[in-house]
Amino acid sequence: MSAWIYEQDLTAQKYRILVSVRHDRVIRQIAADLDIGLQELRKYVIEHCDMILLENLPARYEAALTAAGDADPVAKAIGRDLYTTAIPLVPTGIMETIYQTTAAKVAAGTPFDAAVADARAMMKEVIHA
Amino acid sequence: MKHTVDVNIPLGPVHPCFKEPARVKCETKGERIIAAEVELGYMKKGIERIMKGRPWQEVMFLAERVCGICSVIHNMVFIEAIEQVSGIAVPPRAAYLRVVANELDRMQSHLLANFSYCYTIEHETLGMYLLDLREKVMDVIERLTGARVTCAYIIPGGVRFDIGAQDEAFLRESLARIEDDLTRYTGMFESGPMIALRSRGIGILTKEAAMQAHAVGPTARASGISVDRRTEHPTYRQLGFEPVVRTECDNYARIMVRFGEVFQSIRLIRACLDNLPEGVIRGGGTCTAGETRYSGEAPRGELTYIIRTDDYGRVIDIQIQTPSIMNIEACCHVMIIGVDSVADVTSTFVSADPCIACTER
């Protein structure tokens, strides 16, 4: 077992990437979408993504929004693919559980917006944890 | 991301096979790569910040200094974005000459990329042949624009210099020689058994993974995605442009797509010269206030400029999305994962034609 022997603290550099104009716009949009504090979200992505993924964030975000198209409305509303494959904020397995739960609620007659809000709350919990 | 692993192999930032500094930290299990992390920040220029508040006359020179290998396309996309904002029309002759300059730039960039790949897989003979061929292309660029790199050939409403009869003859003669030589070199690459061992089936980027990572340019086209911004460019449409696409999804496909595109560039340049309209090369116009997002096809893929200008043509806000950002990400998070040898990491990385200067801007 060995640790990264060349590891540096890249937080400052990653933060500079995140506060550039387009990246900042995307991060603010995600923070508003998930109702998470801006700094909290920045800290989360800095800890979980490497520098090239952070650089690619706006392109991945745009690609995911385009790819979502007119697909399953529940998946689109909760950002099933957006927050797992495009921007890895929530593990795929957990997101699938959230999606199944939300889809079941909608099918059972819960108002769409309320079910999506519950899903967002669950995603927020995952990020907080 | 600080975590403990069995074995980690940091490649770079200074590595004999990398043209520019970047560190790829590979997590391995035996010889197999199971994860990789990219560390940048060794050549950050902050060029977008430098551009802000400056008049377009200064920004056009800064734009082509984003990347020394594909400077013409940075010049072209910035100027065409300014033209779109200001409603400036380009004379037909200038539009064709822009395509000639852009395709020559693509040829030298692709030849350099394929040289790097051959050098990385230790086929230095073919690499040197390709580098020699690139010099011929650079001579043609110098003849047309007056400079080898950062030539500032494209200006709002036209181009700087016309092409004379002697220059045209030189260009045609050079293209014929380059085509002959390249046919032979492509044959060597296609049929070389040792090249195949190092290239076929290595660095797989599936179509789905390429779409997910938003891969662009030859990297995407080698994964079967028919995406090329030139199909939407009016001059290329007139020339009947069709993208070169392959479906093997490996290192071999990426190199062959580039070879195919060099041949395609030769055909496009010939078509431009055969149908070169008569007339002026500068239409004139005034740069005004506005905001736009404009994309062009750089040698490495889709290059986007998002700009906002004021009444005097000063750039108030600018963001540049370069193709290497997407391609390096696809390379390091998908292509090199699962390769069976650390030696294949460098060749796979180079096959994606990464440009760190573009990535860090």
Side-chain angles (χ1 to χ4, degrees), chain B residues 29-78:
Chain B
K29 199 168 192 176
E31 276 272 310
R32 186 177 289 253
I33 311 298
I34 54 170
E37 186 186 340
V38 183
E39 193 183 299
L40 301 168
Y42 296 97
M43 55 185 302
K44 180 76 181 169
K45 295 189 284 289
I47 210 158
E48 288 157 318
R49 183 60 66 91
I50 301 169
M51 286 172 169
K52 279 184 190 174
R54 291 180 186 271
W56 66 265
Q57 292 95 328
E58 288 181 22
V59 176
M60 67 171 272
F61 292 110
L62 285 169
E64 59 179 7
R65 276 156 181 79
V66 169
C67 178
I69 303 169
C70 53
S71 59
V72 172
I73 189 69
H74 279 275
N75 179 209
M76 184 165 163
V77 171
F78 173 71

Side-chain angles (χ1 to χ4, degrees), chain B residues 143-318:
Chain B
R143 185 86 178 232
L144 178 70
T145 68
R148 284 162 61 90
V149 286
T150 56
C151 32
Y153 182 62
I154 297 164
I155 52 172
V159 292
R160 236 177 243 281
F161 310 110
D162 204 349
I163 187 168
Q166 279 186 335
D167 296 335
E168 190 184 326
F170 176 76
L171 179 52
R172 283 185 190 275
E173 195 187 315
S174 300
L175 288 179
R177 261 188 291 138
I178 292 165
E179 193 176 30
D180 282 350
D181 288 347
L182 194 66
T183 306
R184 193 157 64 89
Y185 304 153
T186 309
M188 285 168 70
F189 190 89
E190 261 181 319
S191 58
M194 299 309 285
I195 293 173
L197 274 175
R198 291 294 308 272
S199 311
R200 287 188 191 260
I202 291 167
I204 298 288
L205 178 72
T206 59
K207 190 174 179 176
E208 294 70 31
M211 288 174 87
Q212 191 184 308
H214 202 301
V216 289
T219 306
R221 291 194 284 276
S223 294
I225 301 172
S226 180
V227 58
D228 196 313
R229 295 301 297 195
R230 285 177 287 176
T231 52
E232 291 161 37
H233 193 281
T235 318
Y236 281 96
R237 273 186 179 172
Q238 284 173 20
L239 295 165
F241 173 80
E242 286 288 332
V244 176
V245 179
R246 292 183 79 102
T247 52
E248 293 100 323
C249 308
D250 54 7
N251 290 357
Y252 176 80
R254 286 186 278 279
I255 301 303
M256 287 308 295
V257 162
R258 277 191 209 102
F259 276 131
E261 287 190 358
V262 176
F263 285 116
Q264 187 185 48
S265 294
I266 292 172
R267 285 196 297 275
L268 285 168
I269 294 169
R270 281 193 183 131
C272 284
L273 294 176
D274 292 343
N275 304 303
L276 196 63
E278 291 298 325
V280 295
I281 55 160
R282 291 189 205 177
T286 309
C287 296
T288 55
E291 188 172 2
T292 194
R293 178 190 178 120
Y294 188 83
S295 298
E297 187 71 15
R300 293 175 183 81
E302 185 181 321
L303 169 69
T304 304
Y305 272 65
I306 302 157
I307 62 166
R308 190 154 59 90
T309 54
D310 69 3
D311 290 332
Y312 306 102
R314 274 190 303 238
V315 174
I316 302 302
D317 200 4
I318 184 163

Side-chain angles (χ1 to χ4, degrees), chain B residues 7 25 35 57 86 105 138 196 246 252 260 263 329:
Chain B
V7 179
K25 295 187 281 194
Q57 292 95 328
S86 312
D105 194 48
M138 297 303 283
R246 292 183 79 102
Y252 176 80
F263 285 116
E329 207 255 300

Side-chain angles (χ1 to χ4, degrees), chain A residues 49-126:
Chain A
C49 302
D50 73 348
M51 291 176 89
I52 196 71
L53 185 60
L54 293 186
E55 281 279 12
N56 202 10
L57 220 54
R60 288 180 82 100
Y61 188 75
E62 284 170 16
L65 290 185
T66 312
D70 299 324
D72 182 353
V74 175
K76 194 180 170 186
I78 66 170
R80 184 182 60 175
D81 299 323
L82 176 63
Y83 297 126
T84 50
T85 48
I87 300 171
L89 293 181
V90 181
T92 314
I94 297 174
M95 181 56 106
E96 198 50 40
T97 312
I98 295 172
Y99 168 71
Q100 299 289 358
T101 312
T102 312
K105 278 183 188 172
V106 171
T110 310
F112 188 80
D113 290 345
V116 170
D118 289 349
R120 291 275 154 77
M122 284 189 264
M123 287 157 66
K124 200 173 158 180
E125 266 178 46
V126 173

